[in-house]
């Protein structure tokens, strides 16, 4: 082996050892897990936002329903008054 090749291989070995020492805890599987975790966190955030939006829509619909229920109750009360007045008029006509 030539001296230049030995020096080159030695430097490559030192460089590899240095890389492993710096990145001793680097694990591609963990990096993928981190990517997957971040993707899942983004999905969770989007779903939470969607959930809150749906809950708000439900609340608005319930408010509209409550307002319509009040309107129905008022109209039913008016109808009862009109029916009562109508009975009174019909009874007066029978007399």
């Amino acid at each position: 082996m030539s001296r230049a090749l030995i020096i080159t291989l030695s430097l490559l070995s030192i460089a590899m050892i240095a890389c492993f020492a710096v990145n001793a805890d680097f694990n591609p599987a963990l990096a993928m897990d981190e990517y997957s975790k971040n993707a899942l966190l983004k999905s969770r955030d989007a779903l939470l936002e969607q959930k809150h939006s749906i809950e708000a829509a439900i609340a608005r619909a319930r408010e509209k329903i409550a307002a319509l229920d009040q309107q129905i109750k008022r109209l039913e009360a008016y109808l009862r008054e009109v029916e009562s007045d109508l009975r009174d008029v019909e009874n007066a006509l029978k007399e």
Side-chain angles (χ1 to χ4, degrees):
M1 246 192 225
S2 74
R3 183 167 164 75
L5 184 59
I6 293 174
I7 292 173
T8 303
L9 290 175
S10 297
L11 289 174
L12 281 173
S13 297
I14 293 170
M16 287 176 55
I17 292 170
C19 285
F20 286 129
V22 170
N23 293 319
D25 58 347
F26 176 75
N27 185 342
L30 292 178
M32 181 57 84
D33 284 343
E34 192 65 28
Y35 173 81
S36 298
K37 183 179 178 181
N38 287 334
L40 289 172
L41 288 171
K42 286 181 183 178
S43 294
R44 183 195 65 184
D45 291 344
L47 288 169
L48 283 171
E49 185 176 328
Q50 189 176 19
K51 177 186 176 224
H52 294 308
S53 175
I54 292 169
E55 288 172 339
I58 289 170
R60 287 190 303 273
R62 286 190 174 136
E63 288 173 5
K64 288 179 184 178
I65 289 169
L68 289 171
D69 280 340
Q70 290 299 317
Q71 186 178 1
I72 288 171
K73 288 177 183 175
R74 279 193 304 275
L75 290 170
E76 288 173 338
Y78 295 150
L79 181 60
R80 283 191 298 275
E81 287 178 24
V82 168
E83 287 173 339
S84 176
D85 292 343
L86 181 59
R87 277 192 304 278
D88 290 346
V89 171
E90 286 176 346
N91 287 336
L93 287 171
K94 288 181 187 175
E95 294 178 1

